[in-house]
Amino acid sequence: MAKPVSTALQIGLVAVALATAVALVAYFSFPAYFEMAQMLFPQASETDALWSWLDWGYLLLTLLIALPLGAIGGAWLSRRIVVPLLEVARAIRAVAAGDLTARANPSIQGFGESARLVADFNAMAERLERAEAELRFSNSAAAHELRTPLTILKGRLQGVADGVFALDDDLIDLLIAQVDGMTRIVEDLRTLGLFNAGSLELSVTNVDLALIARDVTDLSAEALQARSMTLSLDLRSSPVLADAARFRQVLLALIDNAMRYAPGTRLTIATGLEHVTAVLTITDSGPGLTDAALRQGFEPFWRDEESRARDKGGSGLGLSVVRAIVHAHDGQVRLHNAPGGGASVTITLPARIPD
């Protein structure tokens, strides 16, 4: 794609073109004007006064030709500069009034900067509209996620107040579980909000992903056994600068995700170094990820096969939080299907190279 010529350069080129056109008109029309003057005034002597009169007449004729050319060129030039600006101003007023679908007309032709202004504004407006839609969806989804535990809490507490339910240990455990679920949702939303605002605080220290993975798997061993999952570890030293607590959160979320959607399978966790990159991979031997999950798995509140996923629990925020924490560490995370089958999550971070 050719680089657009700047507005200043194009204005200069137009001015040079107009000046050249006027000069050519003046140069080539002078002989014809002189011959015509001789034919019309053959008796006129070549006096200073006569030639002064002829000169003024020639100047007037030149102006009659040059002024329309200049006016046409100026109008064309101003249209190419001003009209895109007016169109962007119209769209800005529409967006300010609440119409996030407003766009500047991209078919309006302008010079370099004004044409780029139209394109840049439309790109910004599209991102703003998408962000607004995502915000509305997130608010609606968060309310929906919180409604279920709140309904259970209200119903059970109302039942206790009415004497329908006895406040025994089982009911207390159920109520605590609902509160814990809401706490996780709120904390996940807080983490995402802080990341999106660029305010996610990290306590970065020298850590080894292999040691973090071993600690988390030791804590999760009983839960994995309850889900009939076998654990395979390939932990090689992977020194990084990271927030250890946040990466424990990442690993717990990924293990929890595997237990929910691939119970009874083998879970493999591996760490290692590839050149100057630390790599953490978690792979299960389950059915793998659908194309939709590969594309949208990190989106907040997104679930594959929504109705069945809800039966398996989870808020749909786990992978979004994982991505936020990894990106906050200048890392990358991706979903993919393992060559031998199963879902796999690979996290890469800049490795800490010893001095």
Side-chain angles (χ1 to χ4, degrees):
M1 181 177 179
K3 183 179 180 180
V5 181
S6 70
T7 301
L9 179 58
Q10 293 193 54
I11 292 174
L13 292 174
V14 171
V16 169
L18 288 174
T20 302
V22 172
L24 291 175
V25 168
Y27 178 80
F28 287 108
S29 65
F30 179 77
Y33 171 80
F34 181 76
E35 291 295 332
M36 183 176 295
Q38 291 289 348
M39 292 176 59
L40 294 175
F41 306 101
Q43 73 282 6
S45 61
E46 297 185 0
T47 64
D48 291 341
L50 176 64
W51 281 110
S52 176
W53 177 82
L54 288 176
D55 289 342
W56 281 103
Y58 180 69
L59 177 61
L60 177 62
L61 180 62
T62 302
L63 288 175
L64 290 176
I65 297 174
L67 285 177
L69 287 176
I72 294 172
W76 178 82
L77 187 62
S78 64
R79 180 177 177 82
R80 296 291 296 269
I81 296 174
V82 174
V83 171
L85 300 181
L86 293 176
E87 177 64 11
V88 171
R90 178 201 62 78
I92 289 174
R93 288 193 296 270
V95 171
D99 181 11
L100 297 182
T101 63
R103 300 288 186 274
N105 186 354
S107 64
I108 294 178
Q109 296 183 348
F111 284 145
E113 284 82 356
S114 58
R116 286 196 293 272
L117 177 63
V118 171
D120 291 345
F121 170 80
N122 286 341
M124 180 197 70
E126 183 176 351
R127 288 195 295 270
L128 182 61
E129 182 183 11
R130 187 166 58 248
E132 177 68 16
E134 290 175 355
L135 179 61
R136 288 197 302 268
F137 171 76
S138 295
N139 290 339
S140 175
H144 184 78
E145 293 297 332
L146 292 170
R147 184 182 299 119
T148 298
L150 285 172
T151 300
I152 294 174
L153 281 171
K154 181 180 178 181
R156 293 298 188 272
L157 291 174
Q158 187 66 49
V160 171
D162 294 340
V164 177
F165 299 119
L167 190 59
D168 54 18
D169 291 342
D170 291 339
L171 180 56
I172 292 175
D173 291 341
L174 174 62
L175 298 178
I176 291 175
Q178 301 307 314
V179 173
D180 288 342
M182 288 190 294
T183 302
R184 283 194 298 271
I185 293 174
V186 171
E187 182 59 32
D188 287 347
L189 289 172
R190 177 177 176 274
T191 299
L192 291 175
L194 290 173
F195 172 74
N196 291 332
S199 303
L200 183 61
E201 295 183 359
L202 301 174
S203 299
V204 175
T205 58
N206 294 326
V207 298
D208 193 325
L209 293 180
L211 297 179
I212 294 176
R214 187 170 297 281
D215 290 343
V216 172
T217 53
D218 289 343
L219 291 173
S220 304
E222 186 176 343
L224 289 168
Q225 187 177 4
R227 291 281 184 165
S228 302
M229 299 183 72
T230 56
L231 183 62
S232 175
L233 298 178
D234 180 14
L235 304 179
R236 289 170 289 168
S237 180
S238 305
V240 295
L241 288 173
D243 186 325
R246 289 293 186 184
F247 261 89
R248 289 190 187 94
Q249 183 181 355
V250 165
L251 276 164
L252 285 171
L254 294 176
I255 292 173
D256 180 72
N257 205 60
M259 289 191 296
R260 290 182 188 279
Y261 303 112
T265 64
R266 173 179 292 275
L267 185 65
T268 301
I269 301 178
T271 61
L273 290 177
E274 294 181 2
H275 304 293
V276 293
T277 302
V279 181
L280 166 66
T281 304
I282 298 181
T283 306
D284 63 55
S285 58
L289 299 166
T290 64
D291 291 340
L294 293 173
R295 291 192 308 269
Q296 301 174 267
F298 290 113
E299 297 301 320
F301 298 109
W302 186 86
R303 290 185 177 92
D304 200 4
E305 298 183 20
E306 185 173 356
S307 60
R308 289 197 299 168
R310 288 190 185 278
D311 293 338
K312 296 177 181 179
S315 64
L317 290 171
L319 290 179
S320 301
V321 172
V322 167
R323 180 176 62 176
I325 293 174
V326 172
H327 285 184
H329 285 81
D330 296 325
Q332 297 294 324
V333 57
R334 68 184 183 97
L335 295 172
H336 55 101
N337 285 317
S344 185
V345 182
T346 297
I347 295 172
T348 56
L349 292 173
R352 176 176 56 84
I353 305 300
D355 296 333

